[in-house]
Amino acid sequence: MAEIRNYTMNFGPQHPAAHGVLRLVLELDGETIVRADPHVGLLHRGTEKLAESKPYNQSIGYMDRLDYVSMMCNEHAYVRAIERLLGIEAPVRAQYIRTLFDETTRILNHLMWLGSNALDLGAMTLFLYAFREREELMDCYEAVSGARLHATYYRPGGVYRDLPERMPQYHESPWTKGADLKRRNEWRQGSMLDFFDAFCEDFPKRVDEYETLLTDNRIWKQRTVNIGVVPPEMALRMGMSGPMLRGSGIAWDLRKKQPYAAYDKVDFDIPVGVNGDCYDRYLVRVEEMRQSCRIMKQCVDWLRSNAGDVMVRNFKVAPPSRVEMKDDMEALIHHFKLFTEGYATPAGEVYCAVEAPKGEFGAYIISDGANKPFRVKLRAPGFSHLSAMDEIVRGHMLPDVVAVIGTLDIVFGEIDR
Amino acid sequence: MTPEAPASLIEQLKAHFGEAIESAREALGQYTIEVSPDRLLEVAKSLRDERTFRFQQLIDLCGVDYLGYGQDEWETDAVTDEGFSRGVTGLGPGRFAWDNRPRPAGIPNRYAVVVHLLSIEHNLRLRLRCFAADDALPVVPSLVEIWGAANWFEREAFDLFGIVFEGHPDLRRILTDYGFVGHPFRKDFPLTGNVEVRYDPDKGRVVYEPVSIEPRVGVPRVVREDSRWLQAQNEAAGKAN
């Protein structure tokens, strides 16, 4: 009789369902996975080492490029770590703006996840729907920071600038015209807060649309129910966080347990799964989008009625205004020193984490008193999630690997750093 | 970050472990203990299992290279008879290429492994630091048996710092390229790296060549004693007492 041997197969690094540059070496017995060995690092840029060679503020832009679908949350962790080292705190209005944009980012991330995961498992329509809403939110990114993805909007001591008075509108062009132009500009007649209001009013209906497509869909359930089950004990052991942990029934959310920014002042619920399978994590993420929308609404209401500074008035950390700079020698010197040398932080070490859409994103900074960090370590949630991949997919069938990669919500910008 | 942490965690740790931990302190509201490599496993196990601690999650593990800690590249306090220092010398990783990298030896406590633990039950975080004894071959016991999450984090620290984790089941490189030479996050590894790749149309494949970029530092490293931070620290210390 012929000898039957296991078959080793390469999945990626160029595979649309590998969500980036994942090379997955799979050992198969027929169509059953015996072993999965993810090879990561194909996107390693040495972000942490680069950050060690630059003044603190110059690395904020690198944070956007880590998890490039939840940009501002990464900035938030890094900026908060610096603020903690310096012993400064952002003004309340900046805290609310950060909360607002963290939740915007969460929706952006979950939409991307939902769309691409559904596409991987064979549902094309949702991808187009998700990108429609992402478009609106990326316009908000652009309106506050000038960039649609890599915002560099959060700074130590607050945010770069206050929300714009007027939401930018679309101009007539060969691509946007007539009724389409009118529809697009309908929400954009007032301020940015009005735009957010209109969005939050509309968004829950959109989520209902997504749910009609998936939640009771027979094929979707066949692909996700009881696939990639993560027992709570394993979730803890493998250092999982975010929806991966909550999908397994552990109610742990840093926004509630170790609140930062304005999360202790807004009202929201934490969805928790029961079985810890792909379907439960899908439900958790969908509910998180609804909750994010709720938080955004509360932030918008607060921001509407409370004006104030969005940056500390400490010119060693934050730049003075252009007017002051042109008028005042001291301010000019501060501006020059800040943008050349930066600021030195007191010696010490600090770890600050935020509840990023994918889980706990943390920044660990060791300072030796210089204007550049001595060591920066960025704790990416996807790194621990992917390390559990082997354990999760063992015994599953080959097509389930795609479902599991999808449910882990991995992005290689943050895993490879 | 840990808002209502009991002030007694440090005392609890000291009482429970005694001389097994080298030091325990609180700074910026975060708790740090230092453990020697030979006691690490025993301490880690009780941190996970004891009812008072229950640090069930290993959130992060990373290597640190303390070479050059506290050294600046620009003398800003005093003027010599040649004028102010220009801030163009120093030994930071951006200042040298692979061939003329410094070869420091015999620095005590150069490499450390820093572990961040989280207790979901008590809503507490703890930082654990373990200095490797030998600077030439840093060895630290592996925590994989205690927290499964340590597996990849230890591979990463091995890859980037060359710290060897004794008892790790599969200590391979993880982030760097296949066939990479050196440990890139060490402070004596140049920022520019040592090789660059390009596609050679003649050979019809990708070739590796010595790196062609010149090392360059835009902003020198400056340590400034800012009186405001000192003041803030003193005030915080005064409040604590």
Side-chain angles (χ1 to χ4, degrees):
Chain A
M1 207 174 102
E3 192 190 348
I4 297 170
R5 274 184 304 169
N6 283 349
Y7 189 72
T8 306
M9 198 180 77
N10 251 320
F11 182 101
Q14 303 290 338
H15 190 287
H19 287 224
V21 284
L22 169 67
R23 179 180 168 210
L24 197 57
V25 181
L26 296 171
E27 197 182 316
L28 300 168
D29 176 9
E31 230 185 310
T32 314
I33 312 287
V34 182
R35 202 173 67 93
D37 179 17
H39 285 209
V40 301
L42 287 99
L43 201 62
H44 180 60
R45 293 144 294 175
T47 303
E48 293 152 351
K49 180 128 178 155
L50 283 168
E52 286 164 22
S53 69
K54 289 181 168 51
Y56 285 93
N57 269 15
Q58 292 184 17
S59 304
I60 302 173
Y62 284 127
M63 301 302 137
D64 295 308
R65 286 150 179 87
L66 289 167
D67 177 359
Y68 43 76
V69 286
S70 42
M71 297 70 71
M72 289 201 195
C73 289
N74 310 343
E75 289 173 25
H76 202 164
Y78 179 68
V79 161
R80 237 163 59 80
I82 297 172
E83 284 175 357
R84 186 120 178 196
L85 265 176
L86 291 172
I88 57 174
E89 195 140 339
V92 200
R93 190 174 166 85
Q95 303 278 18
Y96 270 93
I97 293 177
R98 285 181 183 179
T99 312
L100 175 64
F101 272 92
D102 271 12
E103 293 313 310
T104 306
T105 309
R106 197 176 311 279
I107 292 181
L108 275 173
N109 177 80
H110 284 355
L111 283 175
M112 181 75 189
W113 169 82
L114 188 64
S116 56
N117 192 16
L119 183 64
D120 287 345
L121 300 185
M124 179 79 205
T125 320
L126 204 71
F127 191 66
L128 304 173
Y129 278 16
F131 269 73
R132 183 185 57 192
E133 269 73 67
R134 266 175 69 85
E135 195 62 25
E136 311 282 9
L137 291 177
M138 283 198 296
D139 284 347
C140 295
Y141 258 55
E142 191 176 1
V144 290
S145 71
R148 291 164 63 79
L149 292 169
H150 302 307
T152 328
Y153 181 52
Y154 296 1
R155 305 287 165 91
V159 294
Y160 164 56
R161 62 177 174 193
D162 208 340
L163 304 175
E165 288 295 314
R166 278 190 67 243
M167 188 69 190
Q169 297 179 1
Y170 280 93
H171 294 298
E172 189 163 330
S173 73
W175 302 277
T176 352
K177 57 188 174 196
D180 189 35
L181 179 71
K182 207 166 149 229
R183 179 187 60 79
R184 289 198 143 180
N185 281 341
E186 201 183 291
W187 290 356
R188 293 172 164 78
Q189 296 304 320
S191 72
M192 187 170 193
L193 292 173
D194 296 333
F195 179 82
F196 268 122
D197 253 350
F199 179 86
C200 294
E201 196 58 44
D202 180 68
F203 189 65
K205 282 180 250 154
R206 304 289 178 178
V207 181
D208 291 342
E209 280 181 27
Y210 310 149
E211 288 216 76
T212 18
L213 281 173
L214 292 182
T215 306
D216 291 323
N217 182 324
R218 186 146 46 111
I219 303 172
W220 179 254
K221 284 180 111 168
Q222 279 169 349
R223 293 299 306 271
T224 54
V225 174
N226 282 330
I227 300 296
V229 177
V230 178
E233 155 282 317
M234 173 181 164
L236 287 173
R237 176 165 46 86
M238 295 310 287
M240 290 184 180
S241 49
M244 292 296 293
L245 192 61
R246 292 193 284 275
S248 303
I250 297 171
W252 176 264
D253 191 312
L254 292 179
R255 293 176 294 169
K256 283 277 190 208
K257 302 285 180 177
Q258 298 175 3
Y260 53 95
Y263 282 113
D264 50 347
K265 299 178 198 112
V266 290
D267 195 27
F268 62 101
D269 297 319
I270 302 296
V272 174
V274 180
N275 303 317
D277 56 6
C278 292
Y279 187 67
D280 276 19
R281 287 188 286 271
Y282 154 74
L283 293 176
V284 164
R285 286 185 174 116
V286 167
E287 184 55 31
E288 273 184 15
M289 287 203 282
R290 293 184 195 274
Q291 295 298 329
S292 294
C293 195
R294 225 174 115 193
I295 300 173
M296 280 163 73
K297 232 182 249 170
Q298 295 170 51
C299 291
V300 168
D301 289 344
W302 190 94
L303 287 166
R304 213 187 277 283
S305 48
N306 294 277
D309 279 344
V310 293
M311 191 67 139
V312 287
R313 286 195 51 86
N314 177 346
F315 295 154
K316 299 276 193 243
V317 182
S321 74
R322 303 297 294 183
V323 177
E324 278 169 300
M325 201 184 97
K326 300 209 164 150
D327 209 41
D328 178 17
M329 192 66 201
E330 279 287 309
L332 181 67
I333 294 170
H334 273 122
H335 184 274
F336 175 73
K337 286 307 276 182
L338 184 65
F339 283 99
T340 52
E341 185 183 300
Y343 45 84
T345 57
E349 54 186 341
V350 70
Y351 174 84
C352 271
V354 296
E355 185 73 30
K358 294 182 167 60
E360 174 172 336
F361 187 95
Y364 172 50
I365 299 181
I366 302 179
S367 162
D368 59 351
N371 58 341
K372 302 173 181 180
F374 182 75
R375 167 91 168 106
V376 179
K377 166 72 209 246
L378 301 159
R379 192 269 176 193
F383 192 78
S384 4
H385 294 163
L386 190 61
S387 74
M389 176 87 190
D390 181 35
E391 207 176 326
I392 298 173
V393 297
R394 265 179 206 208
H396 279 78
M397 306 290 271
L398 181 59
D400 298 333
V401 173
V402 175
V404 171
I405 293 177
T407 198
L408 292 176
D409 197 5
I410 45 179
V411 156
F412 279 88
E414 62 163 8
I415 291 173
D416 294 348
R417 281 159 287 152
Chain B
M1 191 168 52
T2 43
E4 53 279 312
S8 61
L9 179 69
I10 291 295
E11 274 90 70
Q12 279 178 359
L13 286 164
K14 278 184 177 158
H16 187 273
F17 291 112
E19 30 60 274
I21 53 176
E22 285 170 353
S23 73
R25 64 195 155 75
E26 187 196 344
L28 296 168
Q30 304 185 351
Y31 305 99
T32 312
I33 59 173
E34 281 182 14
V35 186
S36 71
D38 35 313
R39 308 297 289 268
L40 181 65
L41 284 179
E42 157 203 346
V43 170
K45 211 164 164 44
S46 356
L47 282 176
R48 185 193 62 180
D49 296 335
E50 290 292 333
R51 227 160 44 87
T52 39
F53 305 126
R54 301 287 284 164
F55 288 100
Q56 283 184 312
Q57 272 202 307
L58 180 139
I59 286 294
D60 186 36
L61 183 149
C62 68
V64 182
D65 176 3
Y66 278 96
L67 177 70
Y69 182 86
Q71 283 172 13
D72 54 358
E73 300 173 332
W74 192 15
E75 186 55 55
T76 51
D77 290 339
V79 192
T80 62
D81 49 3
E82 285 147 20
F84 277 105
S85 139
R86 295 293 307 277
V88 289
T89 52
L91 283 175
R95 301 252 181 212
F96 50 84
W98 175 254
D99 292 329
N100 48 13
R101 65 190 187 278
R103 311 281 170 93
I107 300 148
N109 289 347
R110 180 173 164 188
Y111 298 105
V113 169
V114 180
V115 183
H116 285 94
L117 301 176
L118 171 68
S119 163
I120 282 184
E121 219 170 290
H122 302 300
N123 193 7
L124 279 177
R125 281 175 195 276
L126 180 69
R127 183 180 302 128
L128 198 68
R129 192 196 322 274
C130 176
F131 279 101
D134 188 2
D135 161 37
L137 179 69
V139 182
V140 167
S142 167
L143 296 173
V144 174
E145 290 299 311
I146 299 168
W147 293 285
N151 189 328
W152 275 28
F153 285 117
E154 287 180 354
R155 280 178 65 187
E156 184 192 320
F158 163 71
D159 187 2
L160 302 179
F161 289 94
I163 299 170
V164 177
F165 292 88
E166 209 174 359
H168 192 286
D170 182 25
L171 202 60
R172 281 179 293 156
R173 286 189 179 269
I174 185 167
L175 290 181
T176 52
D177 198 0
Y178 303 110
F180 191 86
V181 178
H183 299 288
F185 277 31
R186 289 187 171 185
K187 293 281 179 182
D188 52 359
F189 190 95
L191 189 65
T192 55
N194 54 357
V195 285
E196 61 187 23
V197 288
R198 69 175 175 88
Y199 178 75
D200 190 330
D202 299 332
K203 288 181 181 148
R205 63 179 171 87
V206 169
V207 291
Y208 287 77
E209 288 166 347
V211 75
S212 61
I213 357 167
E214 289 291 312
R216 190 179 71 92
V217 170
V219 182
R221 216 181 141 74
V222 183
V223 176
R224 283 194 193 273
E225 296 292 334
D226 195 317
S227 59
R228 286 164 312 137
W229 310 142
L230 292 177
Q231 193 186 336
Q233 275 170 354
N234 289 341
E235 278 167 13
K239 233 181 265 166
N241 288 337

